[in-house]
């Protein structure tokens, strides 16, 4: 059997290649890819602008698929049977170092690698990324099973939804009745929104730009109490009208200097800012006095280690239509266009996904 996969041969170049699909080595799973969503990180990996990218590479780390075979003689997967639908966590903890044995920081493990980013395709069995018709799951990978009614498209977002869980629960420690402002209505912001609503936060206010109309509409459908287009209405004033003392917690996903400075202005005294957006190296001139005078707790961090199980529960409730986040569908050979759209965000674009034949 053969599988097509899109290979980034070197930064900036990709081509469709064919690989032999072999029986999985001991301890590995062979999975038929169902959906891989396109992450904005893929733009940077494709261009060679992350410290972790290694090549030649089959990218794609937001994956859902169906197990077709389990490596002979292995007992690493007592709960997994062929035919089962799964999603995998992108970070592969080695299982031995201190980081990899921590509950929430195994993404710091430098040994196991990351699917679709640092696991290259030059060594057999080659297929370690979501932009291939099949992929292999290596021993030590954290695998989650899909609920019966869970759309594969929603499950492919498990690590993204888990980021939302992390910003809200693990980092923000948001509880019932707290007011939350979410700056940026992309897949991260929408996932944080679902998580905040599920925690009983109220009101939850989502801020976006005019070109974010489709994202803001989906935020409304998720149940956001207020949605504000900050190009039509100044965010600080609009939020101050709703929350005269400021927000208990601001989740800043944009990473832009404007977003971060607005977060400092919008948080209440003794409130928290969870700032997780990456600017690509742009400096933000924050006056730390403003934080000190307000006794603000500033929290940062990367996603999702130890948060995917909660994310799967959240998706499985069916209360939030996560599958609608993937609102542009591509064939595998259209991946270049998918990445271009992710970067340029044409009208109505929320997020792209490669959807394979079932
Ligand atoms: Zn390790």
């Amino acid at each position: 059997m053969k599988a097509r996969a899109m290979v980034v041969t070197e930064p900036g170049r990709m081509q469709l290649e064919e690989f032999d699909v072999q029986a999985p080595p001991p301890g590995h799973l062979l999975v038929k890819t169902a959906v891989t969503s396109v992450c904005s990180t893929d733009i940077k990996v494709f261009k060679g602008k992350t410290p972790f990218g290694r090549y030649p590479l089959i990218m794609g780390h937001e994956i859902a698929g169906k197990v077709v075979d389990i490596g002979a003689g292995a007992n690493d997967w007592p709960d997994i049977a062929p035919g089962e639908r799964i999603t995998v966590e992108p970070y592969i903890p080695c299982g031995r170092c201190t980081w990899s044995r921590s509950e929430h920081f195994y993404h710091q493990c430098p040994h196991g690698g990351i699917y679709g980013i640092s696991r290259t395709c030059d060594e057999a069995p080659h297929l370690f990324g979501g932009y291939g018709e099949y992929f292999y799951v290596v021993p030590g990978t954290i695998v989650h099973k899909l609920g019966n009614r869970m759309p594969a498209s929603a499950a492919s977002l498990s690590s993204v939804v888990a980021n939302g869980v992390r910003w809200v629960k693990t980092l923000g420690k948001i509880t019932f009745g707290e007011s939350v402002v979410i700056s940026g209505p992309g897949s991260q912001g929408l996932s944080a929104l679902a998580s905040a609503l599920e925690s009983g936060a109220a009101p939850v206010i989502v801020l976006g730009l005019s070109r974010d109309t489709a994202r803001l509409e989906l935020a409304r459908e998720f149940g956001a109490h207020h949605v504000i287009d900050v190009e039509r209405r100044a965010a600080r004033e609009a939020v101050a009208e709703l929350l005269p003392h400021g927000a208990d917690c601001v989740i800043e996903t944009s990473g832009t200097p404007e977003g971060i400075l607005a977060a400092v202005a919008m948080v209440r005294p003794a409130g928290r800012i969870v700032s997780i957006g990456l600017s690509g190296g742009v400096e933000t001139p924050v006056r730390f006095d403003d934080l000190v005078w307000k006794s603000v707790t500033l929290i940062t961090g990367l996603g999702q280690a130890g948060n995917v199980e909660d994310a799967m529960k959240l998706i499985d409730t069916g209360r939030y239509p996560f599958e609608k986040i993937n609102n542009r569908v591509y064939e595998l050979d259209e991946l270049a266009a998918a990445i271009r759209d992710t970067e340029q965000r044409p009208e109505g674009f929320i997020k792209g996904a490669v959807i394979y034949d079932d």
Side-chain angles (χ1 to χ4, degrees):
M1 187 167 52
K2 300 270 189 193
R4 295 183 311 146
M6 191 62 85
V7 176
V8 179
T9 52
E10 60 184 358
R13 285 181 58 122
M14 66 169 92
Q15 63 189 42
L16 207 54
E17 294 186 15
E18 244 183 18
F19 293 85
D20 283 322
V21 180
Q22 311 150 353
H28 291 58
L29 302 175
L30 174 62
V31 178
K32 187 174 193 311
T33 319
V35 180
T36 301
S37 23
V38 181
C39 178
S40 58
T41 302
D42 293 340
I43 303 166
K44 303 180 191 94
V45 176
F46 174 57
K47 292 182 175 175
K49 290 187 175 162
T50 70
F52 307 112
R54 298 289 179 272
Y55 311 86
L57 177 74
I58 300 166
M59 300 195 301
H61 58 272
E62 298 179 0
I63 317 170
K66 187 184 277 185
V67 177
V68 290
D69 200 1
I70 302 177
N75 56 3
D76 303 65
W77 308 103
D79 301 331
I80 302 286
E84 213 128 42
R85 297 190 306 148
I86 61 161
T87 178
V88 299
E89 296 195 20
Y91 294 106
I92 309 163
C94 76
R96 294 180 298 278
C97 72
T98 304
W99 287 121
S100 83
R101 285 182 284 110
S102 69
E103 184 186 6
H104 280 303
F105 293 96
Y106 51 82
H107 58 280
Q108 299 284 359
C109 162
H111 313 108
I114 315 168
Y115 286 106
I117 295 178
S118 67
R119 277 266 168 174
T120 57
C121 64
D122 45 356
E123 279 177 37
H126 307 292
L127 300 163
F128 294 118
Y131 300 130
E133 292 168 319
Y134 287 82
F135 67 94
Y136 292 90
V137 172
V138 305
T141 302
I142 304 174
V143 166
H144 301 268
K145 296 196 239 183
L146 273 59
N148 288 335
R149 57 193 180 159
M150 193 187 288
S153 178
S156 74
L157 297 167
S158 60
S159 59
V160 182
V161 177
N163 286 353
V165 172
R166 190 177 189 86
W167 318 145
V168 166
K169 182 179 176 181
T170 307
L171 300 184
K173 297 187 167 48
I174 290 166
T175 57
F176 180 86
E178 288 198 300
S179 55
V180 177
V181 170
I182 296 170
S183 165
S187 55
Q188 303 274 344
L190 291 165
S191 296
L193 167 63
S195 211
L197 292 171
E198 201 65 12
S199 309
V204 182
I205 302 164
V206 178
L207 312 179
L209 305 172
S210 295
R211 67 172 176 165
D212 291 324
T213 306
R215 296 171 174 198
L216 291 172
E217 272 170 24
L218 189 53
R220 225 183 269 282
E221 191 177 337
F222 270 44
H225 300 102
H226 302 278
V227 160
I228 297 167
D229 174 343
V230 303
E231 288 177 296
R232 299 179 69 178
R233 185 103 209 270
R236 298 174 201 206
E237 287 156 32
V239 168
E241 209 167 275
L242 294 163
L243 303 170
H245 302 292
D248 292 310
C249 186
V250 179
I251 299 177
E252 210 300 306
T253 72
S254 78
T256 61
E258 304 77 46
I260 293 167
L261 295 173
V264 175
M266 292 185 295
V267 72
R268 73 161 165 81
R272 290 101 69 204
I273 296 172
V274 179
S275 185
I276 51 78
L278 290 167
S279 70
V282 179
E283 291 184 18
T284 297
V286 176
R287 252 198 329 244
F288 264 74
D289 287 11
D290 295 344
L291 297 173
V292 176
W293 284 118
K294 279 172 96 168
S295 301
V296 170
T297 302
L298 176 62
I299 309 159
T300 68
L302 292 173
Q304 91 267 126
N307 294 107
V308 181
E309 200 170 321
D310 276 345
M312 292 301 278
K313 288 181 200 159
L314 185 57
I315 297 169
D316 205 31
T317 65
R319 283 197 278 272
Y320 307 94
F322 290 108
E323 63 281 0
K324 290 189 179 175
I325 291 175
N326 287 326
N327 76 337
R328 291 288 159 90
V329 172
Y330 302 87
E331 302 280 336
L332 179 58
D333 58 9
E334 297 172 322
L335 184 60
I339 287 176
R340 190 186 58 230
D341 288 350
T342 303
E343 187 166 23
Q344 297 176 353
R345 288 166 56 183
E347 179 76 30
F349 181 88
I350 299 179
K351 190 173 168 86
V354 173
I355 299 191
Y356 297 83
D357 296 335
D358 205 4

